[in-house]
Amino acid sequence: MDTLLAALDRQGFKSWQADSGMWMFSRGYVTITFHRTPVTAGEWIDLISVLRGAGLHFPEEE
């Protein structure tokens, strides 16, 4: 998760975790919520897919 948070920060996203464990990610007018820190491979894929849709890019994509 630390690597993902660092990439989000470098690309202008704001990220924080609520007391309930829910994660929030925002950039501009877009806010994404995720119910908890991903545990399963499917949860990681879902989270990364949503963040890519919001503009997150990975170096190998550029």
Side-chain angles (χ1 to χ4, degrees):
M1 189 69 162
D2 292 339
T3 302
L4 178 60
L5 292 173
L8 289 163
D9 185 58
R10 281 192 306 273
Q11 294 181 38
F13 283 84
K14 299 208 183 309
S15 307
W16 67 97
Q17 190 173 28
D19 291 338
S20 66
M22 180 180 293
W23 279 95
M24 275 138 316
F25 310 94
S26 68
R27 183 166 77 169
Y29 296 108
V30 176
T31 299
I32 296 163
T33 59
F34 201 77
H35 65 288
R36 64 177 177 161
T37 301
V39 176
T40 67
E43 289 175 344
W44 278 105
I45 290 169
D46 290 345
L47 177 57
I48 290 170
S49 294
V50 169
L51 291 169
R52 279 184 170 160
L56 177 65
H57 296 283
F58 292 95
E60 64 273 7
E61 294 177 343
E62 296 176 358

